[in-house]
Amino acid sequence: MEAAFSRSKSQNQDRLDLSRKGSVDEDIRSVVSLLNGCEQFFTTSSCSGRIIVIDGAACSGDVHKQDCVWLLVSHQKCSSEDVMCALSRSSRDAVLKFEPFVLHVRCRRLEDAQLVHSAAVNSGFRNSGITVGRTGKIISAVRSTHGLEVPLSHEGRLLVDDDYVRFLTQTANQKMEENLRRIQRFYQNLQSALSAERLAVPDAPSEPRSGRTAGRGASEQNPRSRQREAEGFHGDLDLDDCLDLFT
Amino acid sequence: MEAAFSRSKSQNQDRLDLSRKGSVDEDIRSVVSLLNGCEQFFTTSSCSGRIIVIDGAACSGDVHKQDCVWLLVSHQKCSSEDVMCALSRSSRDAVLKFEPFVLHVRCRRLEDAQLVHSAAVNSGFRNSGITVGRTGKIISAVRSTHGLEVPLSHEGRLLVDDDYVRFLTQTANQKMEENLRRIQRFYQNLQSALSAERLAVPDAPSEPRSGRTAGRGASEQNPRSRQREAEGFHGDLDLDDCLDLFT
């Protein structure tokens, strides 16, 4: 089982990034490098958090993003002008969403997944959970309850005024700031948990010296130094893409 | 471990329902009875799905519901008049949310949690996950990506017009309908998975005849027949309340 995990990890390191963006988001490179520097973890998909405006058919189910036109995608705070400009191109039903940080970490053992899960929940990511697939793949998913989903146009017609769009953009930006604070807490909580684990088990096979040095060096001194390795098996997939791996 | 699980299950059966509502929501009694009729499961909290309007201080983090005034709580579809009436009582920042079905199921073994998880994901509840606590408690959490969170007033001043509230209410009601379809699929998928498990392991200790009969009888013939038992250890807790149990 552990040999299979190591094989999967190295295979993922060689894989191309198939995400729309094609790289790890700037704000989570330290977290991603810290985890990928530990031999008991590798990350399979992530998004630091984003404000999006998508234009699709009104439906009673989920908006299927592949059927939508993406009018705006911002991984940083944005202005109400950005949102208004996006809405001016709506021809169907436009929805603004704030989607918080999401991260999927493949873990070697259940205890490893629990370490990530505790750090995530203690950092405010309360929708986090562990998924164990039929083939025994263990994934710790870091998720937040901290979203926003607001219908703004119907059949291309704007449903709200400029003042509302300004207020909504400010609200989305505040959520983006809080999301970043939680990511920083998660990074610190992960570091503490990994250090405590090393103290408890000096020769812990779950995290060899080389992995620690690489992971911490990468994140504390040069966040980009392990970027290529990280991008090699990273994505910005939708949650259903991720869960397809295990069900 | 299994003896400890059985003790916890019977202790929970004797516990009072501490939720605000004090009973299991009508639309999920069959699912709850089916699970609680199996000796390898018991449910610890649930909500069938609801449309709420809460009035609280604008903040960059999550809205902490305990600090909010609940202007509207509906576990059924509601009218735009209901929402307008709720908004007329807003004195701070009111937000309308559609919160889909959520269920937390304590499971005896990891394989039991995987059965619930697969049924949930295959029914469209794609944010579902398994949580394993430090003490070994295994919880399968059934969650959906299918929400709505819309700011509607700021410092008591309405930010949108009546037409928008009508459109938003219609959208929330459509999500409620889709949510109910998914709950029905989840019930059917759970029944099939439990039947397949019984066929695979005729003397499966994970679900004795008595449990099966009670669970299936309750759900197929008389959804209310096991209601009292279900209510004895049921709640309509917020997600953080649930996760507090395991982290």
Side-chain angles (χ1 to χ4, degrees):
Chain A
M1 196 61 193
E2 300 211 354
F5 175 87
S6 303
R7 266 198 309 281
S8 301
K9 174 163 180 159
S10 58
Q11 283 163 3
N12 273 275
Q13 285 173 346
D14 302 334
R15 251 175 48 193
L16 286 174
D17 188 330
L18 301 176
S19 67
R20 178 181 286 106
K21 184 154 172 281
S23 66
V24 179
D25 300 333
E26 184 67 41
D27 291 321
I28 52 173
R29 288 207 177 116
S30 303
V31 166
V32 165
S33 297
L34 176 60
L35 287 165
N36 290 324
C38 301
E39 79 172 4
Q40 70 270 40
F41 301 119
F42 64 90
T43 56
T44 60
S45 75
S46 69
C47 176
S48 63
R50 58 188 183 181
I51 297 167
I52 63 173
V53 178
I54 49 179
D55 202 34
C59 60
S60 57
D62 280 340
V63 176
H64 295 295
K65 288 176 181 167
Q66 61 273 27
D67 303 334
C68 293
V69 177
W70 292 63
L71 301 175
L72 174 70
V73 182
S74 171
H75 288 77
Q76 307 298 327
K77 292 197 278 185
C78 60
S79 70
S80 56
E81 289 68 28
D82 298 332
V83 176
M84 288 305 293
C85 174
L87 290 170
S88 68
R89 291 181 283 116
S90 166
S91 60
R92 296 188 286 172
D93 287 38
V95 176
L96 180 141
K97 291 187 181 190
F98 169 68
E99 297 183 325
F101 175 52
V102 61
L103 176 70
H104 293 83
V105 187
R106 176 94 182 264
C107 305
R108 188 170 53 183
R109 293 182 309 227
L110 199 56
E111 310 87 274
D112 303 321
Q114 285 173 268
L115 182 146
V116 173
H117 181 75
S118 294
V121 174
N122 294 334
S123 308
F125 296 111
R126 298 196 307 249
N127 257 5
S128 299
I130 296 167
T131 306
V132 184
R134 293 203 191 92
T135 61
K137 277 184 183 173
I138 301 168
I139 296 275
S140 196
V142 180
R143 298 188 210 99
S144 177
T145 55
H146 188 223
L148 202 59
E149 181 168 345
V150 184
L152 289 175
S153 78
H154 179 51
E155 295 171 353
R157 189 176 57 80
L158 197 60
L159 300 168
V160 296
D161 62 20
D162 295 9
D163 285 347
Y164 184 78
V165 172
R166 268 188 285 277
F167 181 82
L168 183 62
T169 308
Q170 188 182 33
T171 304
N173 287 338
Q174 286 171 340
K175 285 180 181 276
M176 184 71 91
E177 283 171 8
E178 172 62 19
N179 182 60
L180 283 179
R181 280 191 288 273
R182 291 180 188 189
I183 289 171
Q184 284 154 9
R185 278 205 296 274
F186 178 53
Y187 177 72
Q188 287 155 2
N189 287 336
L190 262 183
Q191 276 198 314
S192 309
L194 290 168
S195 305
E197 188 184 56
R198 286 195 297 277
L199 288 173
V201 188
D203 300 315
S206 57
E207 200 188 356
R209 187 174 306 286
S210 63
R212 289 207 304 273
T213 311
R216 290 160 68 213
S219 53
E220 288 167 7
Q221 292 147 30
N222 176 9
R224 293 174 179 277
S225 67
R226 291 175 62 84
Q227 178 183 342
R228 208 191 146 288
E229 176 196 345
E231 289 183 3
F233 49 96
H234 239 273
D236 183 345
L237 308 174
D238 288 328
L239 195 57
D240 40 341
D241 298 327
C242 306
L243 286 173
D244 284 347
L245 297 171
F246 328 117
T247 56
Chain B
M1 194 62 194
E2 300 210 356
F5 175 87
S6 303
R7 267 198 309 279
S8 301
K9 176 164 179 157
S10 59
Q11 283 164 1
N12 273 276
Q13 287 173 345
D14 302 332
R15 251 175 47 194
L16 284 175
D17 187 328
L18 301 175
S19 66
R20 177 181 286 105
K21 185 156 171 281
S23 65
V24 179
D25 300 333
E26 183 68 41
D27 291 319
I28 52 172
R29 288 205 177 120
S30 302
V31 166
V32 165
S33 298
L34 177 61
L35 287 165
N36 290 325
C38 301
E39 81 171 1
Q40 70 269 42
F41 301 119
F42 64 89
T43 56
T44 59
S45 75
S46 69
C47 176
S48 63
R50 58 189 183 181
I51 297 168
I52 62 172
V53 177
I54 50 178
D55 201 33
C59 60
S60 58
D62 281 338
V63 176
H64 295 295
K65 288 175 179 166
Q66 61 273 28
D67 304 333
C68 293
V69 178
W70 292 63
L71 301 175
L72 174 71
V73 183
S74 171
H75 288 78
Q76 307 298 326
K77 292 197 278 185
C78 59
S79 71
S80 56
E81 289 69 28
D82 299 331
V83 176
M84 288 305 293
C85 173
L87 290 170
S88 68
R89 290 180 283 116
S90 165
S91 60
R92 295 188 287 170
D93 286 39
V95 175
L96 179 141
K97 292 187 182 192
F98 169 68
E99 297 183 326
F101 174 53
V102 61
L103 177 69
H104 292 83
V105 187
R106 175 93 182 265
C107 305
R108 187 170 54 183
R109 293 182 307 223
L110 200 55
E111 309 87 275
D112 303 321
Q114 285 173 268
L115 182 146
V116 173
H117 181 75
S118 294
V121 174
N122 294 335
S123 309
F125 296 110
R126 298 198 306 252
N127 256 6
S128 300
I130 296 167
T131 306
V132 184
R134 293 203 190 89
T135 60
K137 277 184 185 173
I138 301 167
I139 296 278
S140 197
V142 180
R143 298 188 210 101
S144 177
T145 55
H146 189 223
L148 201 60
E149 180 167 344
V150 183
L152 289 175
S153 78
H154 178 51
E155 295 171 354
R157 188 175 58 80
L158 197 60
L159 299 168
V160 295
D161 61 23
D162 295 11
D163 285 347
Y164 183 77
V165 172
R166 268 188 286 276
F167 181 82
L168 183 62
T169 307
Q170 188 182 33
T171 305
N173 287 339
Q174 286 171 340
K175 285 181 180 277
M176 186 71 92
E177 283 171 8
E178 172 62 18
N179 182 61
L180 284 179
R181 281 191 288 272
R182 292 180 188 189
I183 289 170
Q184 284 154 11
R185 278 205 296 274
F186 179 52
Y187 176 72
Q188 287 155 3
N189 288 335
L190 262 183
Q191 275 199 314
S192 308
L194 290 168
S195 305
E197 187 185 57
R198 285 196 299 275
L199 287 173
V201 189
D203 301 316
S206 56
E207 200 187 355
R209 187 173 305 284
S210 63
R212 287 207 304 274
T213 311
R216 290 160 69 213
S219 52
E220 288 165 7
Q221 294 148 28
N222 176 9
R224 291 174 179 277
S225 67
R226 290 174 64 80
Q227 177 185 342
R228 209 188 148 287
E229 176 197 344
E231 289 183 5
F233 49 98
H234 239 271
D236 183 346
L237 308 174
D238 288 328
L239 195 56
D240 40 341
D241 297 328
C242 305
L243 285 173
D244 284 347
L245 298 171
F246 328 119
T247 58

